[in-house]
Amino acid sequence: LEILVTIINENDNTPEFEQQNVTTVVREDTEVNATIVARDVLTASDADLDIIYYELTTTVQGTDGYFAIKGVNNPEIYLQRALDYDKFKLTTLLLYARDRPVTSQDLTNTATATINIIIEQADTRAPWFLPCAFLHADTSVCINTPYSGTVNISEKATEPLTLIPGPIYAIDPDYTINEKIVYSIVGGNTDQVFSVDADTGNLTMNKIVTSADSFLLQVMATQVNNVRKYSIGTVEIKVINKSDYPPRFEKGIYNGTVFTGLALRSFVFQGGDSSTPLMITALDDDFSDV
């Protein structure tokens, strides 16, 4: 008697990842659609020889949508959206391997692998002049206030000029890289009156100014390692007459009179003279005719 016996495979094995914990470093400027973790690193095996179905999720809030797998049967992880180091610096993904589709009602065995993604800052931004303020909620753009200062006509300053809101200063906003910045004047320097120190950004005078015309200098801050990474800041220098004396009030004390019930913006009158508005005047000995 010949008996034919057919062995039916029972789904009694769980898929297995060769590596259950994978850590990889991804540069901030990685191109979209680039492979982050190769398929052969993440492919799971199953002793039952079942087809494996994969699903990828993230565990860190705010990092959804940046990484994805190539397909339900292809666990290769690729970059789906451009990275920004200032938005997040690391995330953790969970890759599930199932021996049945997610929608299956059959008994399903599942394995899980953890993928740690560390974002490495790249040199993506041009220098920022400080102080600066972010453009709305976008921390990738920082707008600086133009610098301003004064020089005396027919007089050459021997020290670096004092500017408002502060000295010329720029930084590399890719702060973990922090490339060296150098400075140069690229516009507005009529007759080469001014110089800027390439390393410190200090603005000095080469010669006197004989005209009352203001200067609107354009100063460029450039990364030493990449001349294409630069920013332009403006410096307004006003030419004024030298001030040797401070202003002074004509009187040390002024007395005024007001009446109850007056409307807003009504005159205050001189004390003891209800018909003459109170006037407070100052003099400056630099201007003898004023």
Side-chain angles (χ1 to χ4, degrees):
L1 178 64
E2 183 178 316
I3 299 175
L4 181 64
V5 177
T6 301
I7 307 299
I8 299 176
N9 187 21
E10 182 180 356
N11 186 20
D12 56 353
N13 290 286
T14 299
E16 293 183 357
F17 287 104
E18 184 174 341
Q19 300 182 57
Q20 293 184 329
N21 199 304
V22 176
T23 298
T24 186
V25 177
V26 181
R27 281 179 56 86
E28 178 187 16
D29 57 353
T30 299
E31 293 185 1
V32 172
N33 295 322
T35 297
I36 303 303
V37 184
R39 177 175 184 170
D40 57 355
V41 175
L42 299 174
T43 298
S45 60
D46 189 343
D48 296 319
L49 302 180
D50 291 321
I51 296 174
I52 305 298
Y53 299 86
Y54 298 94
E55 179 186 7
L56 186 69
T57 64
T58 183
T59 63
V60 179
Q61 186 176 5
T63 63
D64 292 332
Y66 285 90
F67 303 96
I69 55 176
K70 286 293 183 71
V72 69
N73 301 121
N74 182 354
E76 178 180 312
I77 298 176
Y78 70 98
L79 184 63
Q80 189 171 239
R81 181 179 169 189
L83 296 170
D84 185 341
Y85 184 81
D86 286 339
K87 291 185 177 178
F88 68 95
K89 299 170 179 56
L90 55 88
T91 187
T92 299
L93 310 174
L94 295 179
L95 180 63
Y96 298 97
R98 300 184 176 90
D99 55 13
R100 296 290 185 272
V102 175
T103 57
S104 175
Q105 300 299 315
D106 297 334
L107 174 66
T108 303
N109 297 308
T110 304
T112 305
T114 301
I115 297 93
N116 303 296
I117 307 289
I118 300 172
I119 311 303
E120 180 181 70
Q121 190 171 37
D123 189 10
T124 60
R125 297 175 181 173
W128 289 347
F129 282 100
L130 298 182
C132 67
F134 292 119
L135 186 62
H136 306 301
D138 186 0
T139 58
S140 64
V141 178
C142 201
I143 306 300
N144 75 293
T145 302
Y147 302 102
S148 63
T150 61
V151 295
N152 296 323
I153 194 167
S154 300
E155 181 177 308
K156 178 184 174 184
T158 58
E159 299 292 331
L161 301 185
T162 299
L163 303 177
I164 297 174
I168 297 172
Y169 180 59
I171 61 167
D172 178 4
D174 301 310
Y175 52 87
T176 64
I177 301 173
N178 195 26
E179 289 292 348
K180 179 178 173 58
I181 306 295
V182 293
Y183 306 92
S184 60
I185 300 176
V186 295
N189 194 14
T190 304
D191 202 25
Q192 302 301 302
V193 171
F194 301 98
S195 291
V196 65
D197 187 287
D199 295 319
T200 66
N202 286 337
L203 193 65
T204 55
M205 296 184 71
N206 299 322
K207 59 183 73 172
I208 65 172
V209 181
T210 58
S211 168
D213 295 336
S214 297
F215 293 81
L216 189 61
L217 305 178
Q218 293 179 307
V219 177
M220 183 165 67
T222 310
Q223 288 186 194
V224 170
N225 71 323
N226 188 346
V227 295
R228 295 184 179 181
K229 295 286 176 59
Y230 68 89
S231 293
I232 303 293
T234 59
V235 183
E236 183 182 15
I237 303 296
K238 293 182 179 180
V239 181
I240 62 174
N241 289 313
K242 184 176 181 180
S243 178
D244 293 317
Y245 304 97
R248 56 185 174 82
F249 289 105
E250 283 190 294
K251 297 180 181 180
I253 298 176
Y254 290 84
N255 296 310
T257 300
V258 294
F259 302 97
T260 59
L262 288 178
L264 292 175
R265 300 183 181 278
S266 295
F267 282 119
V268 175
F269 294 96
Q270 291 188 19
D273 184 355
S274 60
S275 63
T276 304
L278 177 64
M279 297 182 64
I280 299 175
T281 57
L283 301 175
D284 190 329
D285 292 334
D286 288 307
F287 304 94
S288 57
D289 58 341
V290 178

PDB file of all heavy atoms in Angstrom, residues 27 59 63 77 87 91 97 101-102 110 112 139 158 166 191 199 201 204 208 220 236 246 258:
ATOM      1  N   ARG A  27      23.633  63.600   6.273  1.00  0.00           N
ATOM      2  CA  ARG A  27      23.948  65.026   6.141  1.00  0.00           C
ATOM      3  C   ARG A  27      22.685  65.828   5.829  1.00  0.00           C
ATOM      4  O   ARG A  27      21.789  65.368   5.120  1.00  0.00           O
ATOM      5  CB  ARG A  27      24.968  65.232   5.022  1.00  0.00           C
ATOM      6  CG  ARG A  27      26.407  64.913   5.418  1.00  0.00           C
ATOM      7  CD  ARG A  27      27.351  65.128   4.247  1.00  0.00           C
ATOM      8  NE  ARG A  27      27.263  66.467   3.697  1.00  0.00           N
ATOM      9  CZ  ARG A  27      27.947  67.511   4.148  1.00  0.00           C
ATOM     10  NH1 ARG A  27      28.770  67.365   5.164  1.00  0.00           N
ATOM     11  NH2 ARG A  27      27.821  68.697   3.583  1.00  0.00           N
ATOM     12  N   THR A  59       8.858  57.685  15.686  1.00  0.00           N
ATOM     13  CA  THR A  59       8.491  57.816  17.093  1.00  0.00           C
ATOM     14  C   THR A  59       8.726  59.221  17.626  1.00  0.00           C
ATOM     15  O   THR A  59       8.383  59.514  18.766  1.00  0.00           O
ATOM     16  CB  THR A  59       9.310  56.833  17.958  1.00  0.00           C
ATOM     17  OG1 THR A  59      10.698  57.168  17.872  1.00  0.00           O
ATOM     18  CG2 THR A  59       9.106  55.402  17.489  1.00  0.00           C
ATOM     19  N   THR A  63       8.778  64.752  12.988  1.00  0.00           N
ATOM     20  CA  THR A  63       9.685  64.197  11.976  1.00  0.00           C
ATOM     21  C   THR A  63       8.954  63.288  10.995  1.00  0.00           C
ATOM     22  O   THR A  63       9.589  62.570  10.231  1.00  0.00           O
ATOM     23  CB  THR A  63      10.833  63.423  12.647  1.00  0.00           C
ATOM     24  OG1 THR A  63      10.306  62.305  13.377  1.00  0.00           O
ATOM     25  CG2 THR A  63      11.601  64.326  13.602  1.00  0.00           C
ATOM     26  N   ILE A  77      15.094  52.340   2.947  1.00  0.00           N
ATOM     27  CA  ILE A  77      14.634  53.637   3.441  1.00  0.00           C
ATOM     28  C   ILE A  77      15.280  54.750   2.616  1.00  0.00           C
ATOM     29  O   ILE A  77      16.491  54.753   2.392  1.00  0.00           O
ATOM     30  CB  ILE A  77      14.972  53.814   4.927  1.00  0.00           C
ATOM     31  CG1 ILE A  77      14.251  52.739   5.764  1.00  0.00           C
ATOM     32  CG2 ILE A  77      14.567  55.206   5.413  1.00  0.00           C
ATOM     33  CD1 ILE A  77      14.597  52.787   7.237  1.00  0.00           C
ATOM     34  N   LYS A  87      15.370  72.183  12.509  1.00  0.00           N
ATOM     35  CA  LYS A  87      14.061  71.628  12.857  1.00  0.00           C
ATOM     36  C   LYS A  87      14.185  70.374  13.714  1.00  0.00           C
ATOM     37  O   LYS A  87      13.442  70.176  14.663  1.00  0.00           O
ATOM     38  CB  LYS A  87      13.258  71.340  11.592  1.00  0.00           C
ATOM     39  CG  LYS A  87      12.819  72.610  10.869  1.00  0.00           C
ATOM     40  CD  LYS A  87      11.923  72.307   9.686  1.00  0.00           C
ATOM     41  CE  LYS A  87      11.434  73.594   9.034  1.00  0.00           C
ATOM     42  NZ  LYS A  87      10.585  73.328   7.846  1.00  0.00           N
ATOM     43  N   THR A  91      16.118  61.433  14.856  1.00  0.00           N
ATOM     44  CA  THR A  91      14.802  60.811  14.942  1.00  0.00           C
ATOM     45  C   THR A  91      14.986  59.302  15.029  1.00  0.00           C
ATOM     46  O   THR A  91      16.070  58.775  14.722  1.00  0.00           O
ATOM     47  CB  THR A  91      13.915  61.176  13.732  1.00  0.00           C
ATOM     48  OG1 THR A  91      12.584  60.675  13.946  1.00  0.00           O
ATOM     49  CG2 THR A  91      14.459  60.585  12.442  1.00  0.00           C
ATOM     50  N   ALA A  97       8.255  44.082  10.239  1.00  0.00           N
ATOM     51  CA  ALA A  97       8.259  43.030   9.222  1.00  0.00           C
ATOM     52  C   ALA A  97       7.204  42.007   9.595  1.00  0.00           C
ATOM     53  O   ALA A  97       7.277  41.390  10.676  1.00  0.00           O
ATOM     54  CB  ALA A  97       9.632  42.377   9.138  1.00  0.00           C
ATOM     55  N   PRO A 101      -0.062  40.337   5.148  1.00  0.00           N
ATOM     56  CA  PRO A 101      -0.400  41.743   4.928  1.00  0.00           C
ATOM     57  C   PRO A 101      -1.063  42.345   6.167  1.00  0.00           C
ATOM     58  O   PRO A 101      -1.663  41.629   6.981  1.00  0.00           O
ATOM     59  CB  PRO A 101      -1.361  41.701   3.733  1.00  0.00           C
ATOM     60  CG  PRO A 101      -1.065  40.406   3.050  1.00  0.00           C
ATOM     61  CD  PRO A 101      -0.670  39.449   4.133  1.00  0.00           C
ATOM     62  N   VAL A 102      -0.981  43.677   6.300  1.00  0.00           N
ATOM     63  CA  VAL A 102      -1.548  44.359   7.462  1.00  0.00           C
ATOM     64  C   VAL A 102      -3.039  44.097   7.581  1.00  0.00           C
ATOM     65  O   VAL A 102      -3.572  43.967   8.686  1.00  0.00           O
ATOM     66  CB  VAL A 102      -1.282  45.877   7.358  1.00  0.00           C
ATOM     67  CG1 VAL A 102      -1.956  46.635   8.493  1.00  0.00           C
ATOM     68  CG2 VAL A 102       0.205  46.154   7.356  1.00  0.00           C
ATOM     69  N   THR A 110       5.212  39.183  13.747  1.00  0.00           N
ATOM     70  CA  THR A 110       5.823  40.489  13.450  1.00  0.00           C
ATOM     71  C   THR A 110       7.170  40.638  14.140  1.00  0.00           C
ATOM     72  O   THR A 110       7.333  40.256  15.307  1.00  0.00           O
ATOM     73  CB  THR A 110       4.896  41.633  13.920  1.00  0.00           C
ATOM     74  OG1 THR A 110       3.617  41.482  13.307  1.00  0.00           O
ATOM     75  CG2 THR A 110       5.479  42.989  13.546  1.00  0.00           C
ATOM     76  N   THR A 112      10.383  43.631  14.725  1.00  0.00           N
ATOM     77  CA  THR A 112      10.585  45.080  14.732  1.00  0.00           C
ATOM     78  C   THR A 112      12.070  45.414  14.763  1.00  0.00           C
ATOM     79  O   THR A 112      12.834  44.805  15.523  1.00  0.00           O
ATOM     80  CB  THR A 112       9.907  45.732  15.958  1.00  0.00           C
ATOM     81  OG1 THR A 112       8.523  45.357  15.986  1.00  0.00           O
ATOM     82  CG2 THR A 112      10.020  47.251  15.887  1.00  0.00           C
ATOM     83  N   THR A 139      13.500  80.257  10.771  1.00  0.00           N
ATOM     84  CA  THR A 139      14.809  80.468  11.406  1.00  0.00           C
ATOM     85  C   THR A 139      15.962  80.294  10.423  1.00  0.00           C
ATOM     86  O   THR A 139      17.120  80.355  10.823  1.00  0.00           O
ATOM     87  CB  THR A 139      14.994  79.496  12.573  1.00  0.00           C
ATOM     88  OG1 THR A 139      14.867  78.142  12.100  1.00  0.00           O
ATOM     89  CG2 THR A 139      13.953  79.742  13.660  1.00  0.00           C
ATOM     90  N   THR A 158      41.410 108.347  14.094  1.00  0.00           N
ATOM     91  CA  THR A 158      42.583 107.468  14.245  1.00  0.00           C
ATOM     92  C   THR A 158      42.210 106.094  14.801  1.00  0.00           C
ATOM     93  O   THR A 158      43.013 105.164  14.742  1.00  0.00           O
ATOM     94  CB  THR A 158      43.620 108.116  15.171  1.00  0.00           C
ATOM     95  OG1 THR A 158      43.016 108.393  16.444  1.00  0.00           O
ATOM     96  CG2 THR A 158      44.135 109.416  14.562  1.00  0.00           C
ATOM     97  N   GLY A 166      26.043  98.266  16.428  1.00  0.00           N
ATOM     98  CA  GLY A 166      27.230  97.624  16.970  1.00  0.00           C
ATOM     99  C   GLY A 166      28.288  97.514  15.893  1.00  0.00           C
ATOM    100  O   GLY A 166      28.083  97.945  14.751  1.00  0.00           O
ATOM    101  N   ASP A 191      36.299 107.537  -3.394  1.00  0.00           N
ATOM    102  CA  ASP A 191      37.648 108.046  -3.161  1.00  0.00           C
ATOM    103  C   ASP A 191      38.410 107.200  -2.139  1.00  0.00           C
ATOM    104  O   ASP A 191      39.394 107.670  -1.552  1.00  0.00           O
ATOM    105  CB  ASP A 191      37.592 109.518  -2.713  1.00  0.00           C
ATOM    106  CG  ASP A 191      38.912 110.244  -2.965  1.00  0.00           C
ATOM    107  OD1 ASP A 191      39.666 109.813  -3.865  1.00  0.00           O
ATOM    108  OD2 ASP A 191      39.197 111.211  -2.244  1.00  0.00           O
ATOM    109  N   ASP A 199      39.781  90.639   8.968  1.00  0.00           N
ATOM    110  CA  ASP A 199      39.534  89.647  10.026  1.00  0.00           C
ATOM    111  C   ASP A 199      38.561  90.125  11.090  1.00  0.00           C
ATOM    112  O   ASP A 199      37.708  89.362  11.542  1.00  0.00           O
ATOM    113  CB  ASP A 199      40.858  89.245  10.686  1.00  0.00           C
ATOM    114  CG  ASP A 199      41.785  88.523   9.727  1.00  0.00           C
ATOM    115  OD1 ASP A 199      41.285  87.682   8.957  1.00  0.00           O
ATOM    116  OD2 ASP A 199      42.990  88.796   9.743  1.00  0.00           O
ATOM    117  N   GLY A 201      36.581  93.146  10.966  1.00  0.00           N
ATOM    118  CA  GLY A 201      35.447  93.939  10.519  1.00  0.00           C
ATOM    119  C   GLY A 201      35.503  95.381  10.986  1.00  0.00           C
ATOM    120  O   GLY A 201      34.573  96.155  10.724  1.00  0.00           O
ATOM    121  N   THR A 204      37.845 101.731   9.449  1.00  0.00           N
ATOM    122  CA  THR A 204      38.754 102.844   9.743  1.00  0.00           C
ATOM    123  C   THR A 204      38.794 103.797   8.551  1.00  0.00           C
ATOM    124  O   THR A 204      38.337 103.473   7.455  1.00  0.00           O
ATOM    125  CB  THR A 204      40.178 102.334  10.044  1.00  0.00           C
ATOM    126  OG1 THR A 204      40.621 101.524   8.947  1.00  0.00           O
ATOM    127  CG2 THR A 204      40.201 101.517  11.328  1.00  0.00           C
ATOM    128  N   ILE A 208      40.893 112.211   5.198  1.00  0.00           N
ATOM    129  CA  ILE A 208      39.817 113.087   5.658  1.00  0.00           C
ATOM    130  C   ILE A 208      38.724 113.183   4.607  1.00  0.00           C
ATOM    131  O   ILE A 208      38.931 112.883   3.431  1.00  0.00           O
ATOM    132  CB  ILE A 208      40.353 114.486   6.012  1.00  0.00           C
ATOM    133  CG1 ILE A 208      40.885 115.162   4.739  1.00  0.00           C
ATOM    134  CG2 ILE A 208      41.405 114.422   7.105  1.00  0.00           C
ATOM    135  CD1 ILE A 208      41.251 116.630   4.956  1.00  0.00           C
ATOM    136  N   MET A 220      30.954  93.217   2.391  1.00  0.00           N
ATOM    137  CA  MET A 220      30.690  91.815   2.109  1.00  0.00           C
ATOM    138  C   MET A 220      31.375  90.933   3.149  1.00  0.00           C
ATOM    139  O   MET A 220      32.561  91.115   3.452  1.00  0.00           O
ATOM    140  CB  MET A 220      31.182  91.431   0.708  1.00  0.00           C
ATOM    141  CG  MET A 220      30.864  89.991   0.319  1.00  0.00           C
ATOM    142  SD  MET A 220      31.050  89.684  -1.464  1.00  0.00           S
ATOM    143  CE  MET A 220      32.834  89.882  -1.652  1.00  0.00           C
ATOM    144  N   GLU A 236      25.875 103.132   6.732  1.00  0.00           N
ATOM    145  CA  GLU A 236      25.688 104.541   6.374  1.00  0.00           C
ATOM    146  C   GLU A 236      26.591 105.396   7.266  1.00  0.00           C
ATOM    147  O   GLU A 236      26.489 105.343   8.500  1.00  0.00           O
ATOM    148  CB  GLU A 236      24.238 104.965   6.546  1.00  0.00           C
ATOM    149  CG  GLU A 236      24.005 106.404   6.112  1.00  0.00           C
ATOM    150  CD  GLU A 236      22.574 106.869   6.321  1.00  0.00           C
ATOM    151  OE1 GLU A 236      21.833 106.195   7.061  1.00  0.00           O
ATOM    152  OE2 GLU A 236      22.213 107.918   5.750  1.00  0.00           O
ATOM    153  N   PRO A 246      28.784 120.459  24.381  1.00  0.00           N
ATOM    154  CA  PRO A 246      27.467 119.832  24.512  1.00  0.00           C
ATOM    155  C   PRO A 246      26.378 120.893  24.521  1.00  0.00           C
ATOM    156  O   PRO A 246      26.637 122.064  24.881  1.00  0.00           O
ATOM    157  CB  PRO A 246      27.554 119.132  25.871  1.00  0.00           C
ATOM    158  CG  PRO A 246      28.509 119.970  26.658  1.00  0.00           C
ATOM    159  CD  PRO A 246      29.525 120.473  25.663  1.00  0.00           C
ATOM    160  N   VAL A 258      -0.442 125.844  34.737  1.00  0.00           N
ATOM    161  CA  VAL A 258      -1.555 125.215  34.020  1.00  0.00           C
ATOM    162  C   VAL A 258      -2.830 125.457  34.816  1.00  0.00           C
ATOM    163  O   VAL A 258      -2.785 125.706  36.025  1.00  0.00           O
ATOM    164  CB  VAL A 258      -1.320 123.689  33.835  1.00  0.00           C
ATOM    165  CG1 VAL A 258      -0.141 123.424  32.927  1.00  0.00           C
ATOM    166  CG2 VAL A 258      -1.111 122.994  35.174  1.00  0.00           C
TER     167      VAL A 258
END
